[in-house]
């Protein structure tokens, strides 16, 4: 897992949308690319979410590919960081 800044603005946009569904999500702090090609996103309230790199890449090229189920998946992936 390594820290990256690629697609930061798109990830922030996705987090903002996911916060509508899951208000306990904090604000974006930083993100990492995992070995399974998902982003682990660190949030300001000591929570994290996972977002598919493919989804982020597709969203960056064509925002209309985003489905409500994608946002729900992000919102529901939240976990408390230790």
């Amino acid at each position: 897992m390594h820290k990256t800044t690629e697609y930061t603005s798109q990830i922030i946009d996705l987090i903002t949308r996911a916060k509508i569904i899951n208000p306990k999500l904090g604000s974006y702090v930083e993100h990492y690319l995992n070995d399974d090609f998902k982003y682990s996103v660190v949030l300001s309230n000591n929570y994290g979410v996972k977002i598919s790199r493919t989804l982020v890449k597709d969203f960056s090229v064509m925002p209309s590919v985003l489905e409500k189920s994608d946002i729900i998946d992000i919102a529901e992936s939240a976990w408390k960081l230790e």
Side-chain angles (χ1 to χ4, degrees):
M1 182 163 77
H2 68 279
K3 187 174 178 179
T4 181
T5 59
E6 66 182 6
Y7 300 112
T8 300
S9 63
Q10 290 82 7
I11 290 173
I12 292 171
D13 190 356
L14 292 168
I15 296 297
T16 301
R17 294 169 190 238
K19 284 170 74 171
I20 294 167
I21 295 166
N22 185 350
K24 73 178 178 184
L25 299 180
S27 300
Y28 171 89
V29 175
E30 61 189 2
H31 65 282
Y32 297 81
L33 184 59
N34 296 327
D35 294 335
D36 61 355
F37 295 102
K38 289 187 179 181
Y39 293 112
S40 289
V41 184
V42 177
L43 304 175
S44 62
N45 62 346
N46 219 26
Y47 272 83
V49 294
K50 290 201 176 188
I51 305 175
S52 159
R53 185 169 191 248
T54 303
L55 173 65
V56 175
K57 286 175 68 175
D58 292 349
F59 178 64
S60 74
V61 175
M62 186 181 304
S64 63
V65 301
L66 190 65
E67 301 282 339
K68 183 167 183 162
S69 62
D70 296 322
I71 298 300
I72 291 169
D73 289 345
I74 294 167
E76 292 179 348
S77 74
W79 79 94
K80 185 80 170 159
L81 300 174
E82 296 181 22

